[in-house]
Amino acid sequence: SDVVVQKTPYTFDCSVPELFAPLMVGASLVVLKQGGHLEPVYVAQEIARLIGAILSEHATLQKKLAQLKALPTVAEDIRSQCAELLPKDFILAMPFERLTHFPRYLKAAQLRIDKLRADPVRDARLAKEFDTLRKPWERELQARRKSGTPDPWLEDFRWMLEELRVALFAQELRTPAPVSIKRLQKAWESRQRQ
């Protein structure tokens, strides 16, 4: 999972291939003001703005979770998701391009709670489908951690699972690439055969 920082002027003659090609393969785009890359303070402000958005979405989610006492299983699932996304050192531990997706992940969890009230049966069905992928991934991840043999593919799969949560529980927020239970199941099974 390489990180590439690319400085590209956004004039038409060079912007089309240089700006859109990375987006087509799932890269994140951060647009700075002209000359902003030369100003460390400005770059720091953009990072702070993103962290502020993450913390704001997290605070809103925590308020909604506090009202979810009648459905403790869902509340625990969302709390577990938050704990994975936002460990104490998340700002340092997570690559910037991953952090750019965090407000959407947290917003998706909020929308899940909103939709849950209208159709708890649907939420339970989707959560069960999601667990068919999450549980084997968690078992494999734990086994790798115990053996001391990290697997970058498992890290990538983790982010596919986060995108799947968005696709299942908050489709209106969209995902950068198509993702579904079938697609992830196929990816998991093809990895297991290798």
Side-chain angles (χ1 to χ4, degrees):
S1 63
D2 294 337
V3 175
V4 176
V5 176
Q6 173 180 309
K7 176 188 176 282
T8 303
Y10 49 89
T11 56
F12 181 77
D13 58 338
C14 67
S15 68
V16 174
E18 291 177 2
L19 289 178
F20 294 109
L23 292 174
M24 292 172 64
V25 295
S28 297
L29 176 66
V30 177
V31 179
L32 300 177
K33 70 178 184 180
Q34 187 159 354
H37 67 286
L38 299 173
E39 301 174 36
V41 171
Y42 174 72
V43 174
Q45 287 172 339
E46 287 300 303
I47 293 169
R49 184 189 55 73
L50 174 61
I51 300 306
I54 292 169
L55 295 176
S56 174
E57 292 295 345
H58 184 257
T60 302
L61 178 57
Q62 293 308 307
K63 288 177 187 171
K64 289 187 178 200
L65 274 172
Q67 300 168 0
L68 200 61
K69 293 180 179 144
L71 297 160
T73 306
V74 177
E76 183 52 38
D77 182 39
I78 294 172
R79 281 190 190 94
S80 175
Q81 177 189 10
C82 286
E84 283 290 318
L85 284 173
L86 304 171
K88 290 182 182 184
D89 65 343
F90 81 96
I91 296 170
L92 300 173
M94 301 295 169
F96 183 79
E97 77 274 1
R98 293 281 184 214
L99 286 174
T100 61
H101 296 281
F102 281 32
R104 185 169 48 87
Y105 296 154
L106 296 167
K107 183 70 170 172
Q110 293 171 40
L111 288 171
R112 178 183 180 186
I113 292 170
D114 294 343
K115 292 176 181 182
L116 173 67
R117 294 180 182 127
D119 194 352
V121 173
R122 176 185 176 273
D123 186 272
R125 180 181 50 81
L126 293 175
K128 187 176 179 181
E129 290 176 17
F130 181 79
D131 279 346
T132 64
L133 289 162
R134 180 182 61 182
K135 288 181 179 181
W137 170 79
E138 284 178 345
R139 282 193 297 272
E140 180 71 19
L141 185 65
Q142 291 303 323
R144 290 294 186 140
R145 285 180 178 165
K146 283 182 183 177
S147 69
T149 54
D151 184 348
W153 189 88
L154 288 173
E155 182 67 17
D156 290 341
F157 196 78
R158 171 200 179 176
W159 298 112
M160 288 189 268
L161 288 171
E162 287 298 335
E163 293 299 337
L164 182 60
R165 283 183 191 269
V166 173
L168 292 174
F169 298 109
Q171 302 90 339
E172 58 269 34
L173 296 181
R174 307 187 46 102
T175 58
V179 64
S180 67
I181 295 282
K182 275 186 173 181
R183 285 176 193 259
L184 268 64
Q185 188 69 46
K186 188 175 178 180
W188 184 260
E189 289 169 0
S190 68
R191 179 189 176 275
Q192 296 296 86
R193 283 187 243 125
Q194 295 175 352

